[in-house]
Amino acid sequence: MSFRRTVFDAVGGFREGLGRSGQDAAGCEETELCIRARRHFPAAVILYDPLAVVHHHVTRERTRWAYFRRRCQAEGRSKSAVVETAGAGDKLGAERAYVTRTLPAGVFRGLMDMVTRLDPSGPMRAFTIVAGLIFTTAAYLAAKFSRHSSPFRPIKIVDIDHTKPLPAIDLTRPSGDVPYGGVFCLIRSGAQPLALVELQHSGPVIAPADLLAEIGSVRSLPSVNSNRAPARERVAVVIATRDRAESLDRCLASLFDQTRAPDEVHVVDNAPASAATLDLISTHYRGRVHYVLEPTPGLGRAHNTGLRYVSSDIVLFTDDDVVLDRHWVEAMAAPMEEDKAVGCVTGLILPAELETRAQVWTERHGGFGKGLQRRVYDLEANRPKSMLFPFTAGQFGSGANMAFRASALRRVGGFDAALGAGTLARGGDDLAAFFAIVSGGFRLVYQPQGIIWHYHRRGEDGMRRQAFCYGMGLGAYLTKIVVDEPRRAIRLAAAFPAGILHMAGPTSQKTARLPSDYPIRLVWMERLGILAGVPGYLRSLAKRQRDDRPRNGIGERRPAEREV
């Protein structure tokens, strides 16, 4: 498709929150834009030209029934979102004509093909059309009746150093859409985070006085002494990625704008579908970034591949969908340089944007941040009294922002290649590594000065799958630690009642922080995912054992297919 630039100048760009996002099979962003364009230019022509041909490659995954069902459901939810923003009226007349004319004609043709052409697949095509319509309609109605009645207003992310004059904050958005309804504000003193402030405001500008009234209590906090001992150990950074070259470029740009430069950087391209990441590294980062291709999917395996090439004493891991604070490398390495007993450091993860309801849900659900207080965990003096310790490894941090002493990580066996995104277990690789470090006698430090800004998933369409995968990763991790040491099953059984209260009890912080419009179905999808994590890990473990690799994944170096 193509548009005149005057269309974008007049009506703005594509509406954020609509369209495909990662694995979400959503759409309708072009429909919504064309509706706005027709309203602004009622005499304009939208032309279909059959001579403008592109050849669309359909992957094998998209030929399966499961994808067809997800695609139809996403289409229904997308249509509901378009109706909410643009209204139904005659603007969706083409969709109604498609349902009332084109689809019945397709069903009739499929049935007639069996009679006139003796085509046995004709009834199946007709059934598929009917099933697709049912899936789409059901998803449309579910989205229509579950959508919260109050209009959503995005939230602006603000980063303020309290030692400098407070700015006025403009709540208008560049796209000209619905203005921001408030701010999510990090108050800091240099590298030290002091407070997180959320302020609702009707706009259009938050005056410095209004902001001062909200954050005045933290302005008197003493500045944190940032004079650290000189760097003594080499630091490596490993980033695993898959088909997200644009966000990886953004992440690498922030990595090379640090107060302390890393000594080595490794990008592991995990089972990519294109050469986009290789092209990015070769074109813009040759000589600064070491590219490694890991052909077997799985985040745990990709991290092990990166670790195999690390020669530094300290290794930092992050994801490709984040922006790193300028003090990140320095802050994440410091605890291990100051204390040889520290084997792992995790950091603070904040939202890079809260532009959609789905992103707000993710952040309210718990996001990835673990607070602003530095915490230390081990099996001795720094052992919490909770009987869930150290099984609730999620309290330690998240895999998007973690660092290890390389020797400690190798000693506990690295990451489990049967865990992580891209495997049948769907996640849990970071939790298992945290558990292994603490159980192995090392100290784990949560370092809030190690800040990254994470781009949460924008679309609502993929949140059911995301919630299920979160739960599945937790279930897979718990299964792994029992498989590794069956005696742990007794301790887990004893901690089971406390675990239920932690997740769903009346005093559960996990449920108390959920917003009022958070869909209850997502809560249950996460809980179902925990149960599915048990067979999921066992299947993934069997697959890992069939792979031609040592059990710990790091005992030997298998050459990657391509390095630059």
Side-chain angles (χ1 to χ4, degrees), residues 13 49 60 66 77 84 197 282 396 413 481:
D49 187 353
R60 175 174 294 184
R77 291 190 292 268
E84 183 189 38
V197 175
S282 300
F396 302 142
I481 64 176

Side-chain angles (χ1 to χ4, degrees), residues 337-365:
E337 292 177 333
E338 296 165 358
D339 184 355
K340 296 298 183 182
V342 175
C344 177
V345 177
T346 62
L348 174 62
I349 305 178
L350 297 176
E353 62 178 16
L354 294 174
E355 296 286 331
T356 69
R357 191 189 302 271
Q359 291 177 323
V360 173
W361 282 345
T362 299
E363 188 61 28
R364 297 293 186 273
H365 178 261

Side-chain angles (χ1 to χ4, degrees), residues 530-545:
I530 296 175
L531 299 178
V534 177
Y537 177 73
L538 297 177
R539 292 172 59 211
S540 188
L541 178 62
K543 182 179 183 302
R544 187 199 73 181
Q545 291 173 341

Side-chain angles (χ1 to χ4, degrees), residues 430-441:
D430 51 348
L431 304 181
F434 299 154
F435 179 87
I437 286 290
V438 174
S439 299

Side-chain angles (χ1 to χ4, degrees), residues 509-523:
Q509 294 183 359
K510 187 176 180 65
T511 55
R513 64 186 174 223
L514 294 179
S516 59
D517 62 344
Y518 189 83
I520 188 65
R521 66 180 183 275
L522 298 183
V523 175

Side-chain angles (χ1 to χ4, degrees), residues 114 146 237 248 322 400 512:
M114 181 183 65
S146 66
V237 176
L248 174 63
V322 306

